[in-house]
Structure formats: structure tokens, C-alpha cells
Amino acid sequence: MPSVEGVGARRAALQLLDAVLRRGQTLEAAGAAVRNLSPPDHGLAVAIAGEALRRLPDLDALIDGATRNRLPDDSKARMVLRLALAQKIGLGTPDHALVATALPLVDGGPRRLVHGVLGTLLRGGVPVSDAPRLPLDVEDRWRGAWGEEVVQAARRQIATRPPLDLTFTDAAEAQAYAKANGGVSLAPKHVRLPSTSVTDLPSFGEGRWWVQDLAASLPARLIPREASDVLDLCAAPGGKTMQLAGAGHRVTSVDASASRLDRLRENLARTHLQAELTQADALEWNPERQFDAILLDAPCSATGTFRRHPEVLYRARPKVIAEGAELQGKLLDRAAQWLRRGGILVYSVCSLEPEEGEDIVRAFLARHSDFRMEAAAEVPVARPLSTEGWVRILPGLLEAEGGLDGFFMARLVRTA
């Protein structure tokens, strides 16, 4: 049978979707296994798998409505149909191309079934929702924590590609760049542009900026300017380290991953910034001095990044969240030992789970009577949602401007 153009990218997308849903991998990690593709095909495979993950509950409802007997969740027929429908809804792929590239993926399997279901759905018209459903367990969890309004905002956010945020070391340069390139600056040293290829942007490679979601840039903004000696824990790939170095701090950056530190080293070289890099497990490391300020952007479920990484909605099960919370508590206790009296400890996670944010800080303050909360009222795009003074970024904030990743951050002071 002659090969059909584009099948290679679709076959790779099938591998990616299986790796995420069955093996719990990230799209980035799974994508490394299909690097043999050409760059355009690799990009297409990731885009198709990503669109399927953005709309998976809605896609499954369409498939179930067109089949007499429910297809198993992990069956190849369901996986292929998910990918084909995702291309129709999210990428605008023509019907003939959908059918031609889907059927070879089930050779030796239920080819007639896939052909029939796909034909039925395409003839009937595939509806496109601007607020697709999230996984039921995620919606129930977030509804209980934050309310229905946040769930609806999250549905709207996952339906659209997020904009591109850049961080600069100079506020005036950021303003000028936004004006010259059709962007907007929502905070000092920030530029937001429509989603585009980073390498196509003016001054790419000159080291004047780096990609960083606006929400992710907020924790480093809570470090006081007068803090001379700053520790960045779990630092790689380095956006916050570059922020701190660009603000004039002496920065020590610690991360357990050698490969991630290599990326940080490359980023520092590109941006002409300096920091002391140390490869170490923060639970084992013992610094020789205390620090004026510490930034702990802790490993977490990363559910706040769902609009860029929809696979987190399927990876962040309760067990993962609980394991993350246990680690976060240990890291925060560890970091507290290395802070000078009167110093600032900023704790943050890109998570929408209160178990990894509010609960962690409440428990920490109960264990450490020598720490108190300091309100983070100067955050430029949000206000604390509680009397405690921490900042919680939820879906729906700045929605008209493109939204933000979900984040939690708290500024803690070690009393003198």
C-alpha cells in the first residue's frame, strides 16, 4: 500500500498521546522519543497531541455518541479517533486529510470501525466549543477549592493558545520593545506578544530577553532590592535566576539536575548575566553561609501550567499532589535554616492545588514561630486573596489580556 504524506507525524502523535495517558510522561519527555522526525513533522505531532489533550473529555463524548459499544479508553481505535477529531477542531485539517492519515494508523485493526465513526462525525459536523470540559476529577477538585467561576474560566483558557510572555532586565527597554513589536507591557520588565515562534522575534539571540510567563516572573519580584546575597533553590532552567541577577543581586543557584543546570548556564551566557551554579539535592546540600533572601520555587504538580501543558491535567493525580506536598514541606523547612535573621524567604509553586500552596505555608508557620507572613501587596497584576497576605493566581485573572498561569506565592520573614 503506498505511503500517505503526513502519516509519520500522526503516528508520532499517537505515540505521544499514549505516553502521556498510559505512561504518565510529559509531552516534552515523550517528544524526545520522536526526534527522528523532521522539525516540521515533530512540531505537527506535538501540536496534534496537545490539541487532543486540551479537548479530551469533549472528544470522547463525540466518539461515544457515534459508537454502539463503548471503545476502551486505551484502545487504538479511540486514540486514533481522538487525534483525528482534534485536528478537525483545533488545527482546521481538511476532512480528506483526516481520513487519509487516520486509517493507516489502524492497519491490522478496526479500520472499518474508525472509518465509519469518523465518516459519521464529519458528515454530521463536528462542534467546536470555546469552553471544553476538563477531566471530571480536576473539575471537581477545583470547583471544591475555588468555585464554579474558576472552573469555567479554566475551560475557556484551555481552548486557546496562550500568548507569549518575555522578561527583560530593563523596564524601559521592555516598554520600547512592546511598542515596536505590537505587544503590551502588563508589568515592569514584561512584554506580552501574540503566540508566535520565538526564533522569529526581533533580537532573538541577543540576550535582551527570555521567555517566561508573567505569573512565573512574580515570585522573584518579591525579593527585596536591598537583599545582596540571594539563594535560588530548584533554580533550573533559570528564569528566576536571570531575573535576580539582572536586578543586581549576587545569586547562588542550586538544582539537582545536571542537564537542567546546563540549560541555565547556556541561558546565563546568552543573556550576559552571572550566577554561581551548584548541582545538589537541596535536601542534602549544606551551604557554608546564610543568605539575605531565598527563593524556593518548589517542584510541584504544575497544574497551573495547564494552558501551555495540558498533559498535567492527566498526570497530577491525588497521589502525585500528596507526594509533592510532602517534598515541598521538607524543602521549605530546609531553606528556613539558611536564612539570616530579618531575611526574606519566598515560597512559590505553579500549582492550582491548595495542598501545595496555602496548606504548605500554614503548616510551615505553625512549625516555625520565628517566621511571619509579610503581605505581597506590590505584585503588579494581583492582590492577595486572603488576610494572610499570600498571592494566589487563578484562571480568570487578566483573561481579556490572555490570562496567566496558575500560581501561588508567599513572602515569609525570619524575625530578628
Side-chain angles (χ1 to χ4, degrees), residues 213-230:
D213 188 83
L214 177 55
S217 78
L218 298 179
R221 297 171 186 264
L222 300 184
I223 298 294
R225 292 182 180 180
E226 61 271 17
S228 174
D229 198 4
V230 180

Side-chain angles (χ1 to χ4, degrees), residues 187-340:
K189 302 182 180 181
H190 166 267
V191 171
R192 172 160 288 184
L193 300 167
S195 182
T196 186
S197 170
V198 175
T199 56
D200 292 339
L201 292 176
S203 74
F204 174 78
E206 295 179 15
R208 294 160 53 190
W209 49 262
W210 57 92
V211 176
Q212 183 182 35
D213 188 83
L214 177 55
S217 78
L218 298 179
R221 297 171 186 264
L222 300 184
I223 298 294
R225 292 182 180 180
E226 61 271 17
S228 174
D229 198 4
V230 180
L231 173 63
D232 185 9
L233 282 174
C234 310
K240 297 173 182 68
T241 287
M242 291 184 286
Q243 281 182 271
L244 296 169
H249 301 288
R250 175 190 175 189
V251 185
T252 300
S253 299
V254 177
D255 199 277
S257 169
S259 60
R260 285 168 59 85
L261 278 177
D262 285 342
R263 287 177 60 191
L264 174 49
R265 193 171 288 107
E266 292 169 1
N267 286 332
L268 288 170
R270 185 179 67 83
T271 53
H272 312 293
L273 296 170
Q274 292 185 336
E276 178 185 334
L277 306 187
T278 299
Q279 182 189 350
D281 182 340
L283 296 179
E284 305 287 340
W285 185 59
N286 287 296
E288 297 178 352
R289 66 184 189 279
Q290 290 186 311
F291 297 87
D292 300 325
I294 298 174
L295 174 55
L296 171 58
D297 186 38
C300 68
S301 64
T303 50
T305 68
F306 69 93
R307 60 195 189 124
R308 300 180 191 278
H309 305 288
E311 71 271 21
V312 299
L313 300 178
Y314 299 92
R315 301 180 66 245
R317 302 300 184 188
K319 181 181 178 183
V320 171
I321 295 168
E323 290 172 348
E326 182 179 1
L327 174 60
Q328 291 143 19
K330 291 178 180 178
L331 288 170
L332 198 49
D333 287 343
R334 191 82 172 160
Q337 304 173 29
W338 307 328
L339 188 67
R340 293 192 179 108

Side-chain angles (χ1 to χ4, degrees), residues 355-369:
E355 297 93 330
E356 297 185 290
E358 291 84 348
D359 292 356
I360 293 293
V361 171
R362 287 193 187 101
F364 173 82
L365 290 172
R367 292 193 303 271
H368 296 267
S369 60

Side-chain angles (χ1 to χ4, degrees), residues 66 81 85 95 99 103 112-126:
L81 287 167
L85 294 171
D95 292 359
V99 176
L103 295 182
R112 289 181 62 184
L113 171 64
V114 169
H115 195 182
V117 172
L118 196 52
T120 297
L121 291 171
L122 293 176
R123 285 191 300 272
V126 179

Side-chain angles (χ1 to χ4, degrees), residues 14 17-23 56 60 63-64 70-82 106 110:
L14 187 61
L17 194 59
D18 179 72
V20 169
L21 296 179
R22 192 166 58 84
R23 299 201 297 273
L56 203 64
D60 281 344
I63 294 167
D64 291 343
R70 192 180 189 282
L71 299 172
D73 287 345
D74 59 352
S75 67
K76 180 171 282 191
R78 182 179 289 276
M79 299 285 266
V80 170
L81 287 167
R82 286 166 167 170
V106 284

Side-chain angles (χ1 to χ4, degrees), residues 109-174:
R111 184 184 176 102
R112 289 181 62 184
L113 171 64
V114 169
H115 195 182
V117 172
L118 196 52
T120 297
L121 291 171
L122 293 176
R123 285 191 300 272
V126 179
V128 179
S129 172
D130 58 2
R133 288 171 295 171
L134 309 180
L136 182 60
D137 60 331
V138 174
E139 289 199 351
D140 287 345
R141 200 166 68 229
W142 291 356
R143 188 177 290 109
W146 313 118
E148 183 63 30
E149 185 177 341
V150 168
V151 171
Q152 293 301 321
R155 286 182 173 185
R156 293 191 297 271
Q157 280 195 344
I158 203 169
T160 60
R161 298 285 182 88
L164 183 68
D165 285 344
L166 309 179
T167 297
F168 286 71
T169 56
D170 182 83
E173 186 174 13

